[in-house]
Amino acid sequence: MMNSFIKPTLTIGLGLMLLLIVSVGHSTMVYGKTNNNGETSFEEFGEEIAFSDPLEPGNRVVGTFNDRLYFWVLKPVAIVYKTFLPTGIRQGIANAFDNIRTPIRFFNNIFQGKPEYAVQELERFVINSSLGIGGFFDIAERHFGISKKDEDFGQTLAFYGVKSGPYLVWPFLGPSTVRDSFGMAVDFFLDPLNYIIPDFIIKAEVKGGEVTNYTSMHIGEYEDLKKSALDPYIAVRDAYIQNRQKKIRE
């Protein structure tokens, strides 16, 4: 019984952590300005915002923990998975999960006063769920030119002027800020998978499959980020902040 609980719990934690780490490695590496107090500043809606890191010692410890989990557990599993499924199938699986999570993007576009984008998300869902066979194929983008309007609640809070707060690194979850941490909690309740699959064990297995699939398509990005940085911790921190600012501006 204990093993059946620990396995899915670890899978979910590792999965969420890697989703954030891989998104950091996949972001554009454009750094902000860092002053002597360890604050990195970027522009947010035309205003220069300083991102403080007062918890850096603890963040570094947690970052090292997450790093080991990635290299010792998640990456090896993803490599094995990759050898059995071709790229086309793995992309289709990723598309299907993305389609299921349309409500997160739809509602956050509504929250930000972007009804035209919310409508596009509905159009994508209808087209991809039908012609795209449950979202396996992104027909809306490929044949109709309707692109995804990626918004989350962290971006919604920024839209209304909520500051990011201190930089945080969560065990399993990876890089974040106070604002984005709250945003992730709200988006969790907007995720249809939490209601489509009420059983915890099955949901954990599905999440584990999604994360493994995602990881298999991005192996090497986090590694490249570490190799090119004098201080991997600062590189991950600045890349995460820069990536979030880019999303907020879009």
Side-chain angles (χ1 to χ4, degrees):
M1 181 67 179
M2 182 62 69
N3 288 336
S4 65
F5 175 78
I6 292 177
K7 181 179 177 181
T9 302
L10 182 60
T11 300
I12 290 178
L14 289 172
L16 291 173
M17 177 272 291
L18 184 71
L19 284 175
L20 284 170
I21 286 179
V22 170
S23 68
V24 167
H26 194 56
S27 65
T28 302
M29 293 298 298
V30 181
Y31 295 92
K33 297 177 290 185
T34 303
N35 61 26
N36 293 331
N37 295 323
E39 295 182 332
T40 301
S41 61
F42 296 92
E43 278 197 3
E44 185 171 290
F45 297 116
E47 177 186 358
E48 188 171 279
I49 304 295
F51 291 83
S52 60
D53 190 6
L55 302 175
E56 180 176 343
N59 283 337
R60 284 184 178 272
V61 172
V62 177
T64 299
F65 170 75
N66 290 341
D67 180 87
R68 297 295 184 270
L69 285 176
Y70 169 69
F71 282 108
W72 295 352
V73 180
L74 209 46
K75 181 179 178 179
V77 171
I79 290 175
V80 173
Y81 173 87
K82 184 178 181 179
T83 63
F84 290 96
L85 287 181
T87 301
I89 293 179
R90 287 183 285 125
Q91 182 60 60
I93 293 173
N95 291 342
F97 277 111
D98 196 59
N99 188 60
I100 291 173
R101 293 198 169 89
T102 295
I104 296 177
R105 300 186 298 275
F106 172 80
F107 282 111
N108 279 293
N109 275 297
I110 290 292
F111 296 155
Q112 294 178 38
K114 302 174 181 177
E116 68 280 10
Y117 290 167
V119 169
Q120 288 183 35
E121 282 297 322
L122 286 180
E123 291 174 339
R124 283 179 51 82
F125 181 76
V126 172
I127 293 171
N128 288 338
S129 297
S130 54
L131 300 180
I133 312 178
F136 191 85
F137 300 101
D138 191 350
I139 302 298
E141 171 83 42
R142 187 180 307 171
H143 296 288
F144 294 89
I146 306 175
S147 59
K148 181 175 65 175
K149 303 301 180 182
D150 200 6
E151 300 287 350
D152 56 49
F153 200 72
Q155 293 166 248
T156 296
L157 291 173
F159 180 82
Y160 286 102
V162 178
K163 305 303 181 184
S164 69
Y167 176 72
L168 300 172
V169 181
W170 292 105
F172 303 109
L173 297 177
S176 188
T177 62
V178 172
R179 180 180 64 199
D180 288 344
S181 296
F182 183 77
M184 282 190 293
V186 173
D187 287 335
F188 175 83
F189 291 101
L190 294 175
D191 187 346
L193 279 179
N194 293 317
Y195 308 101
I196 295 173
I197 309 174
D199 183 83
F200 176 80
I201 302 299
I202 297 176
K203 182 163 54 182
E205 292 173 347
V206 170
K207 182 63 182 178
E210 178 190 6
V211 170
T212 301
N213 186 74
Y214 184 93
T215 305
S216 71
M217 300 173 66
H218 295 275
I219 293 173
E221 294 177 6
Y222 177 55
E223 293 85 337
D224 290 342
L225 177 65
K226 289 189 64 176
K227 287 180 182 178
S228 63
L230 294 176
D231 186 336
Y233 170 82
I234 293 178
V236 169
R237 182 190 67 188
D238 288 359
Y240 174 80
I241 293 172
Q242 176 66 22
N243 188 44
R244 291 301 293 171
Q245 294 315 294
K246 179 181 177 183
K247 286 180 176 294
I248 289 170
R249 289 193 299 268
E250 292 176 346

Short mmCIF file of all heavy atoms in Angstrom, two decimals, residues 6-67:
data_model
loop_
_atom_site.label_atom_id
_atom_site.label_comp_id
_atom_site.label_asym_id
_atom_site.label_seq_id
_atom_site.Cartn_x
_atom_site.Cartn_y
_atom_site.Cartn_z
N ILE A 6 3.64 6.13 -2.60
CA ILE A 6 4.89 6.85 -2.81
C ILE A 6 5.20 7.01 -4.28
O ILE A 6 5.61 8.08 -4.74
CB ILE A 6 6.06 6.11 -2.12
CG1 ILE A 6 5.88 6.18 -0.59
CG2 ILE A 6 7.40 6.71 -2.51
CD1 ILE A 6 6.93 5.41 0.17
N LYS A 7 4.98 5.97 -5.07
CA LYS A 7 5.33 6.00 -6.49
C LYS A 7 4.62 7.11 -7.26
O LYS A 7 5.26 7.93 -7.90
CB LYS A 7 5.04 4.64 -7.13
CG LYS A 7 5.40 4.59 -8.61
CD LYS A 7 5.10 3.21 -9.16
CE LYS A 7 5.39 3.16 -10.66
NZ LYS A 7 5.09 1.83 -11.23
N PRO A 8 3.28 7.20 -7.17
CA PRO A 8 2.63 8.28 -7.91
C PRO A 8 2.93 9.66 -7.35
O PRO A 8 2.98 10.63 -8.08
CB PRO A 8 1.13 7.95 -7.78
CG PRO A 8 1.03 7.07 -6.58
CD PRO A 8 2.31 6.28 -6.57
N THR A 9 3.10 9.75 -6.03
CA THR A 9 3.43 11.04 -5.43
C THR A 9 4.75 11.55 -5.95
O THR A 9 4.89 12.72 -6.33
CB THR A 9 3.50 10.92 -3.90
OG1 THR A 9 2.24 10.44 -3.41
CG2 THR A 9 3.80 12.28 -3.27
N LEU A 10 5.75 10.67 -5.98
CA LEU A 10 7.06 11.06 -6.50
C LEU A 10 6.97 11.40 -7.98
O LEU A 10 7.61 12.34 -8.45
CB LEU A 10 8.06 9.90 -6.29
CG LEU A 10 9.50 10.16 -6.74
CD1 LEU A 10 10.09 11.34 -6.00
CD2 LEU A 10 10.35 8.92 -6.53
N THR A 11 6.17 10.65 -8.71
CA THR A 11 6.02 10.90 -10.14
C THR A 11 5.47 12.29 -10.40
O THR A 11 5.96 13.03 -11.24
CB THR A 11 5.08 9.85 -10.78
OG1 THR A 11 5.64 8.56 -10.59
CG2 THR A 11 4.90 10.13 -12.27
N ILE A 12 4.43 12.67 -9.66
CA ILE A 12 3.83 13.99 -9.84
C ILE A 12 4.84 15.07 -9.49
O ILE A 12 5.01 16.06 -10.22
CB ILE A 12 2.58 14.14 -8.96
CG1 ILE A 12 1.45 13.27 -9.49
CG2 ILE A 12 2.12 15.60 -8.92
CD1 ILE A 12 0.19 13.33 -8.66
N GLY A 13 5.53 14.90 -8.37
CA GLY A 13 6.50 15.91 -7.94
C GLY A 13 7.61 16.09 -8.95
O GLY A 13 7.96 17.22 -9.33
N LEU A 14 8.17 14.99 -9.38
CA LEU A 14 9.24 15.05 -10.37
C LEU A 14 8.75 15.67 -11.67
O LEU A 14 9.44 16.45 -12.31
CB LEU A 14 9.78 13.64 -10.65
CG LEU A 14 10.60 12.99 -9.54
CD1 LEU A 14 10.88 11.53 -9.91
CD2 LEU A 14 11.89 13.73 -9.31
N GLY A 15 7.54 15.32 -12.03
CA GLY A 15 7.00 15.83 -13.27
C GLY A 15 6.83 17.33 -13.27
O GLY A 15 7.26 18.01 -14.20
N LEU A 16 6.24 17.85 -12.20
CA LEU A 16 6.06 19.29 -12.12
C LEU A 16 7.39 20.01 -12.08
O LEU A 16 7.57 21.06 -12.69
CB LEU A 16 5.24 19.62 -10.85
CG LEU A 16 3.78 19.18 -10.88
CD1 LEU A 16 3.13 19.40 -9.53
CD2 LEU A 16 3.01 19.92 -11.96
N MET A 17 8.34 19.44 -11.36
CA MET A 17 9.67 20.05 -11.28
C MET A 17 10.30 20.12 -12.66
O MET A 17 10.82 21.16 -13.08
CB MET A 17 10.56 19.23 -10.33
CG MET A 17 12.01 19.72 -10.21
SD MET A 17 13.12 18.99 -11.46
CE MET A 17 13.18 17.30 -10.88
N LEU A 18 10.21 19.03 -13.43
CA LEU A 18 10.87 19.03 -14.74
C LEU A 18 10.17 19.94 -15.73
O LEU A 18 10.82 20.59 -16.55
CB LEU A 18 10.95 17.63 -15.31
CG LEU A 18 11.74 17.63 -16.63
CD1 LEU A 18 13.20 17.87 -16.37
CD2 LEU A 18 11.53 16.39 -17.41
N LEU A 19 8.87 20.00 -15.65
CA LEU A 19 8.16 20.89 -16.56
C LEU A 19 8.67 22.31 -16.44
O LEU A 19 8.84 23.02 -17.42
CB LEU A 19 6.65 20.86 -16.27
CG LEU A 19 5.91 19.61 -16.75
CD1 LEU A 19 4.47 19.65 -16.28
CD2 LEU A 19 5.96 19.50 -18.26
N LEU A 20 8.97 22.73 -15.20
CA LEU A 20 9.49 24.07 -14.99
C LEU A 20 10.94 24.16 -15.43
O LEU A 20 11.37 25.12 -16.06
CB LEU A 20 9.35 24.47 -13.52
CG LEU A 20 7.93 24.85 -13.11
CD1 LEU A 20 7.84 24.99 -11.59
CD2 LEU A 20 7.48 26.13 -13.77
N ILE A 21 11.74 23.15 -15.10
CA ILE A 21 13.15 23.18 -15.46
C ILE A 21 13.33 23.18 -16.97
O ILE A 21 14.12 23.94 -17.52
CB ILE A 21 13.90 21.98 -14.84
CG1 ILE A 21 14.08 22.20 -13.34
CG2 ILE A 21 15.26 21.79 -15.49
CD1 ILE A 21 14.79 21.07 -12.64
N VAL A 22 12.57 22.33 -17.66
CA VAL A 22 12.70 22.26 -19.11
C VAL A 22 12.24 23.56 -19.76
O VAL A 22 12.84 24.04 -20.70
CB VAL A 22 11.89 21.07 -19.67
CG1 VAL A 22 11.81 21.14 -21.18
CG2 VAL A 22 12.55 19.76 -19.27
N SER A 23 11.18 24.16 -19.21
CA SER A 23 10.71 25.43 -19.77
C SER A 23 11.76 26.50 -19.59
O SER A 23 11.92 27.38 -20.43
CB SER A 23 9.41 25.86 -19.10
OG SER A 23 9.61 26.20 -17.75
N VAL A 24 12.54 26.43 -18.50
CA VAL A 24 13.63 27.38 -18.30
C VAL A 24 14.71 27.17 -19.35
O VAL A 24 15.20 28.08 -19.99
CB VAL A 24 14.24 27.21 -16.89
CG1 VAL A 24 15.55 27.96 -16.79
CG2 VAL A 24 13.27 27.75 -15.84
N GLY A 25 15.09 25.90 -19.55
CA GLY A 25 16.13 25.62 -20.53
C GLY A 25 15.71 25.97 -21.95
O GLY A 25 16.53 26.28 -22.79
N HIS A 26 14.40 25.96 -22.20
CA HIS A 26 13.89 26.23 -23.54
C HIS A 26 13.69 27.71 -23.80
O HIS A 26 13.42 28.12 -24.92
CB HIS A 26 12.55 25.51 -23.71
CG HIS A 26 12.10 25.43 -25.13
ND1 HIS A 26 12.85 24.86 -26.13
CD2 HIS A 26 10.96 25.85 -25.73
CE1 HIS A 26 12.21 24.91 -27.27
NE2 HIS A 26 11.05 25.53 -27.07
N SER A 27 13.82 28.54 -22.75
CA SER A 27 13.56 29.97 -22.90
C SER A 27 14.74 30.67 -23.55
O SER A 27 15.85 30.15 -23.64
CB SER A 27 13.30 30.60 -21.53
OG SER A 27 14.45 30.53 -20.73
N THR A 28 14.49 31.90 -24.03
CA THR A 28 15.54 32.70 -24.63
C THR A 28 16.48 33.21 -23.54
O THR A 28 16.05 33.81 -22.56
CB THR A 28 14.92 33.91 -25.36
OG1 THR A 28 14.01 33.41 -26.33
CG2 THR A 28 16.00 34.74 -26.03
N MET A 29 17.74 33.02 -23.72
CA MET A 29 18.70 33.42 -22.71
C MET A 29 19.09 34.88 -22.88
O MET A 29 20.08 35.21 -23.52
CB MET A 29 19.94 32.52 -22.76
CG MET A 29 19.66 31.09 -22.35
SD MET A 29 19.10 31.00 -20.64
CE MET A 29 20.54 31.64 -19.81
N VAL A 30 18.27 35.78 -22.34
CA VAL A 30 18.56 37.20 -22.35
C VAL A 30 18.51 37.66 -20.90
O VAL A 30 17.47 37.63 -20.28
CB VAL A 30 17.52 37.98 -23.18
CG1 VAL A 30 17.86 39.46 -23.18
CG2 VAL A 30 17.46 37.45 -24.60
N TYR A 31 19.63 38.05 -20.37
CA TYR A 31 19.70 38.35 -18.96
C TYR A 31 19.37 39.80 -18.67
O TYR A 31 19.59 40.70 -19.47
CB TYR A 31 21.10 38.04 -18.41
CG TYR A 31 21.42 36.58 -18.47
CD1 TYR A 31 22.07 36.03 -19.56
CD2 TYR A 31 21.04 35.74 -17.44
CE1 TYR A 31 22.34 34.68 -19.63
CE2 TYR A 31 21.32 34.39 -17.49
CZ TYR A 31 21.97 33.86 -18.59
OH TYR A 31 22.23 32.52 -18.64
N GLY A 32 18.86 40.03 -17.45
CA GLY A 32 18.61 41.38 -16.98
C GLY A 32 19.86 41.94 -16.33
O GLY A 32 20.95 41.40 -16.46
N LYS A 33 19.68 43.04 -15.61
CA LYS A 33 20.79 43.68 -14.94
C LYS A 33 20.80 43.26 -13.47
O LYS A 33 19.79 43.34 -12.79
CB LYS A 33 20.66 45.20 -15.06
CG LYS A 33 20.72 45.72 -16.49
CD LYS A 33 20.51 47.22 -16.55
CE LYS A 33 19.08 47.57 -16.20
NZ LYS A 33 18.81 49.02 -16.36
N THR A 34 21.95 42.84 -12.97
CA THR A 34 22.07 42.42 -11.58
C THR A 34 22.94 43.41 -10.82
O THR A 34 24.07 43.69 -11.23
CB THR A 34 22.68 41.00 -11.49
OG1 THR A 34 21.88 40.10 -12.24
CG2 THR A 34 22.77 40.55 -10.04
N ASN A 35 22.42 43.95 -9.70
CA ASN A 35 23.20 44.90 -8.92
C ASN A 35 23.96 44.21 -7.79
O ASN A 35 23.92 42.99 -7.65
CB ASN A 35 22.28 46.01 -8.37
CG ASN A 35 21.20 45.45 -7.44
OD1 ASN A 35 21.37 44.40 -6.82
ND2 ASN A 35 20.09 46.17 -7.32
N ASN A 36 24.63 45.00 -6.96
CA ASN A 36 25.47 44.44 -5.90
C ASN A 36 24.66 43.77 -4.80
O ASN A 36 25.20 43.04 -3.98
CB ASN A 36 26.35 45.53 -5.30
CG ASN A 36 27.38 46.05 -6.29
OD1 ASN A 36 27.80 45.32 -7.18
ND2 ASN A 36 27.76 47.32 -6.16
N ASN A 37 23.37 44.04 -4.74
CA ASN A 37 22.52 43.44 -3.72
C ASN A 37 21.90 42.12 -4.17
O ASN A 37 21.07 41.55 -3.48
CB ASN A 37 21.39 44.42 -3.34
CG ASN A 37 21.92 45.68 -2.68
OD1 ASN A 37 22.88 45.63 -1.92
ND2 ASN A 37 21.30 46.82 -2.99
N GLY A 38 22.31 41.67 -5.36
CA GLY A 38 21.80 40.41 -5.86
C GLY A 38 20.43 40.51 -6.50
O GLY A 38 19.75 39.51 -6.70
N GLU A 39 19.99 41.76 -6.81
CA GLU A 39 18.70 41.95 -7.44
C GLU A 39 18.86 42.01 -8.95
O GLU A 39 19.72 42.71 -9.47
CB GLU A 39 18.02 43.23 -6.94
CG GLU A 39 17.65 43.19 -5.46
CD GLU A 39 16.95 44.46 -5.04
OE1 GLU A 39 17.22 45.51 -5.67
OE2 GLU A 39 16.14 44.41 -4.11
N THR A 40 18.03 41.28 -9.65
CA THR A 40 18.04 41.29 -11.11
C THR A 40 16.81 42.05 -11.58
O THR A 40 15.69 41.79 -11.12
CB THR A 40 18.02 39.86 -11.67
OG1 THR A 40 19.17 39.17 -11.18
CG2 THR A 40 18.07 39.88 -13.19
N SER A 41 17.00 43.00 -12.49
CA SER A 41 15.88 43.82 -12.93
C SER A 41 15.56 43.57 -14.40
O SER A 41 16.45 43.34 -15.21
CB SER A 41 16.17 45.31 -12.71
OG SER A 41 17.30 45.71 -13.46
N PHE A 42 14.27 43.59 -14.71
CA PHE A 42 13.76 43.47 -16.06
C PHE A 42 12.64 44.47 -16.22
O PHE A 42 12.14 45.02 -15.25
CB PHE A 42 13.22 42.05 -16.33
CG PHE A 42 14.25 40.98 -16.26
CD1 PHE A 42 14.49 40.30 -15.08
CD2 PHE A 42 14.97 40.63 -17.38
CE1 PHE A 42 15.44 39.30 -15.01
CE2 PHE A 42 15.92 39.63 -17.32
CZ PHE A 42 16.16 38.97 -16.14
N GLU A 43 12.22 44.66 -17.45
CA GLU A 43 11.10 45.54 -17.69
C GLU A 43 9.81 44.73 -17.72
O GLU A 43 9.73 43.67 -18.31
CB GLU A 43 11.25 46.29 -19.03
CG GLU A 43 12.15 47.50 -18.94
CD GLU A 43 11.96 48.45 -20.11
OE1 GLU A 43 11.10 48.16 -20.96
OE2 GLU A 43 12.68 49.44 -20.17
N GLU A 44 8.79 45.26 -17.03
CA GLU A 44 7.48 44.63 -17.00
C GLU A 44 6.45 45.70 -17.29
O GLU A 44 6.26 46.62 -16.50
CB GLU A 44 7.23 44.00 -15.63
CG GLU A 44 5.93 43.22 -15.53
CD GLU A 44 5.85 42.45 -14.23
OE1 GLU A 44 6.60 41.47 -14.09
OE2 GLU A 44 5.06 42.83 -13.35
N PHE A 45 5.80 45.60 -18.46
CA PHE A 45 4.85 46.62 -18.91
C PHE A 45 5.50 48.00 -18.91
O PHE A 45 4.91 48.99 -18.49
CB PHE A 45 3.60 46.62 -18.02
CG PHE A 45 2.84 45.34 -18.07
CD1 PHE A 45 2.70 44.56 -16.94
CD2 PHE A 45 2.26 44.89 -19.26
CE1 PHE A 45 2.00 43.37 -16.99
CE2 PHE A 45 1.55 43.71 -19.31
CZ PHE A 45 1.42 42.95 -18.17
N GLY A 46 6.76 48.07 -19.37
CA GLY A 46 7.44 49.35 -19.50
C GLY A 46 8.06 49.85 -18.22
O GLY A 46 8.72 50.90 -18.20
N GLU A 47 7.89 49.14 -17.13
CA GLU A 47 8.43 49.56 -15.84
C GLU A 47 9.55 48.62 -15.42
O GLU A 47 9.42 47.41 -15.54
CB GLU A 47 7.32 49.55 -14.78
CG GLU A 47 7.79 49.90 -13.39
CD GLU A 47 6.69 49.75 -12.35
OE1 GLU A 47 5.56 49.42 -12.74
OE2 GLU A 47 6.97 49.97 -11.16
N GLU A 48 10.65 49.19 -14.94
CA GLU A 48 11.77 48.34 -14.52
C GLU A 48 11.45 47.73 -13.16
O GLU A 48 11.17 48.43 -12.19
CB GLU A 48 13.06 49.14 -14.43
CG GLU A 48 14.28 48.26 -14.17
CD GLU A 48 15.59 49.00 -14.29
OE1 GLU A 48 16.07 49.19 -15.43
OE2 GLU A 48 16.12 49.40 -13.25
N ILE A 49 11.47 46.41 -13.09
CA ILE A 49 11.11 45.68 -11.88
C ILE A 49 12.33 44.92 -11.36
O ILE A 49 13.01 44.24 -12.12
CB ILE A 49 9.97 44.67 -12.16
CG1 ILE A 49 8.76 45.38 -12.75
CG2 ILE A 49 9.59 43.94 -10.89
CD1 ILE A 49 8.10 46.37 -11.84
N ALA A 50 12.61 45.05 -10.08
CA ALA A 50 13.73 44.34 -9.47
C ALA A 50 13.23 43.04 -8.84
O ALA A 50 12.26 43.03 -8.09
CB ALA A 50 14.41 45.20 -8.42
N PHE A 51 13.89 41.93 -9.17
CA PHE A 51 13.55 40.64 -8.60
C PHE A 51 14.59 40.28 -7.55
O PHE A 51 15.75 40.03 -7.88
CB PHE A 51 13.50 39.57 -9.70
CG PHE A 51 12.35 39.74 -10.64
CD1 PHE A 51 12.44 40.61 -11.70
CD2 PHE A 51 11.17 39.05 -10.44
CE1 PHE A 51 11.39 40.78 -12.57
CE2 PHE A 51 10.10 39.21 -11.30
CZ PHE A 51 10.21 40.08 -12.37
N SER A 52 14.17 40.26 -6.30
CA SER A 52 15.10 39.98 -5.22
C SER A 52 15.20 38.48 -4.98
O SER A 52 14.30 37.71 -5.32
CB SER A 52 14.65 40.68 -3.94
OG SER A 52 13.37 40.23 -3.54
N ASP A 53 16.29 38.08 -4.38
CA ASP A 53 16.51 36.67 -4.07
C ASP A 53 17.07 36.55 -2.65
O ASP A 53 18.18 36.07 -2.45
CB ASP A 53 17.49 36.07 -5.09
CG ASP A 53 17.60 34.55 -4.98
OD1 ASP A 53 16.83 33.96 -4.19
OD2 ASP A 53 18.45 33.96 -5.67
N PRO A 54 16.30 36.98 -1.65
CA PRO A 54 16.79 36.94 -0.26
C PRO A 54 16.95 35.52 0.27
O PRO A 54 17.63 35.31 1.27
CB PRO A 54 15.71 37.71 0.51
CG PRO A 54 14.47 37.50 -0.29
CD PRO A 54 14.92 37.52 -1.73
N LEU A 55 16.31 34.56 -0.38
CA LEU A 55 16.37 33.17 0.08
C LEU A 55 17.39 32.36 -0.71
O LEU A 55 17.31 31.14 -0.75
CB LEU A 55 14.99 32.53 -0.05
CG LEU A 55 13.85 33.22 0.70
CD1 LEU A 55 12.52 32.55 0.39
CD2 LEU A 55 14.12 33.21 2.20
N GLU A 56 18.36 33.02 -1.31
CA GLU A 56 19.31 32.34 -2.18
C GLU A 56 20.00 31.13 -1.54
O GLU A 56 20.10 30.08 -2.19
CB GLU A 56 20.37 33.32 -2.70
CG GLU A 56 21.38 32.64 -3.62
CD GLU A 56 22.38 33.62 -4.22
OE1 GLU A 56 22.12 34.84 -4.19
OE2 GLU A 56 23.42 33.16 -4.72
N PRO A 57 20.50 31.20 -0.30
CA PRO A 57 21.16 30.02 0.28
C PRO A 57 20.24 28.79 0.28
O PRO A 57 20.64 27.69 -0.12
CB PRO A 57 21.51 30.46 1.69
CG PRO A 57 21.66 31.95 1.58
CD PRO A 57 20.59 32.36 0.61
N GLY A 58 19.00 28.97 0.74
CA GLY A 58 18.06 27.85 0.76
C GLY A 58 17.66 27.43 -0.64
O GLY A 58 17.51 26.24 -0.92
N ASN A 59 17.48 28.42 -1.52
CA ASN A 59 17.12 28.11 -2.90
C ASN A 59 18.19 27.26 -3.58
O ASN A 59 17.88 26.37 -4.38
CB ASN A 59 16.93 29.41 -3.70
CG ASN A 59 15.60 30.09 -3.41
OD1 ASN A 59 14.64 29.45 -2.96
ND2 ASN A 59 15.53 31.38 -3.66
N ARG A 60 19.45 27.55 -3.29
CA ARG A 60 20.54 26.77 -3.89
C ARG A 60 20.50 25.32 -3.43
O ARG A 60 20.74 24.40 -4.22
CB ARG A 60 21.89 27.40 -3.55
CG ARG A 60 22.21 28.67 -4.36
CD ARG A 60 23.60 29.18 -4.04
NE ARG A 60 23.94 30.36 -4.85
CZ ARG A 60 24.49 30.33 -6.05
NH1 ARG A 60 24.78 29.14 -6.60
NH2 ARG A 60 24.77 31.43 -6.71
N VAL A 61 20.19 25.11 -2.17
CA VAL A 61 20.11 23.74 -1.64
C VAL A 61 18.99 22.97 -2.33
O VAL A 61 19.17 21.84 -2.78
CB VAL A 61 19.88 23.76 -0.11
CG1 VAL A 61 19.61 22.34 0.41
CG2 VAL A 61 21.10 24.34 0.60
N VAL A 62 17.83 23.60 -2.42
CA VAL A 62 16.69 22.95 -3.06
C VAL A 62 16.96 22.74 -4.55
O VAL A 62 16.60 21.70 -5.12
CB VAL A 62 15.41 23.80 -2.88
CG1 VAL A 62 14.24 23.15 -3.61
CG2 VAL A 62 15.08 23.94 -1.40
N GLY A 63 17.63 23.71 -5.20
CA GLY A 63 17.96 23.57 -6.60
C GLY A 63 18.87 22.39 -6.86
O GLY A 63 18.72 21.66 -7.85
N THR A 64 19.82 22.16 -5.96
CA THR A 64 20.71 21.00 -6.08
C THR A 64 19.94 19.70 -5.94
O THR A 64 20.17 18.73 -6.68
CB THR A 64 21.81 21.07 -5.02
OG1 THR A 64 22.59 22.27 -5.21
CG2 THR A 64 22.74 19.86 -5.12
N PHE A 65 19.01 19.68 -5.01
CA PHE A 65 18.16 18.51 -4.81
C PHE A 65 17.36 18.19 -6.08
O PHE A 65 17.32 17.05 -6.55
CB PHE A 65 17.21 18.77 -3.63
CG PHE A 65 16.12 17.75 -3.48
CD1 PHE A 65 16.39 16.49 -2.96
CD2 PHE A 65 14.81 18.04 -3.84
CE1 PHE A 65 15.38 15.53 -2.82
CE2 PHE A 65 13.79 17.10 -3.71
CZ PHE A 65 14.09 15.85 -3.19
N ASN A 66 16.74 19.22 -6.66
CA ASN A 66 15.97 19.03 -7.89
C ASN A 66 16.84 18.58 -9.05
O ASN A 66 16.45 17.77 -9.89
CB ASN A 66 15.25 20.33 -8.26
CG ASN A 66 14.11 20.66 -7.30
OD1 ASN A 66 13.62 19.79 -6.59
ND2 ASN A 66 13.71 21.92 -7.30
N ASP A 67 18.05 19.14 -9.10
CA ASP A 67 19.00 18.78 -10.15
C ASP A 67 19.34 17.29 -10.10
O ASP A 67 19.38 16.61 -11.13
CB ASP A 67 20.27 19.62 -9.99
CG ASP A 67 21.32 19.31 -11.04
OD1 ASP A 67 21.26 19.91 -12.12
OD2 ASP A 67 22.20 18.46 -10.77
#
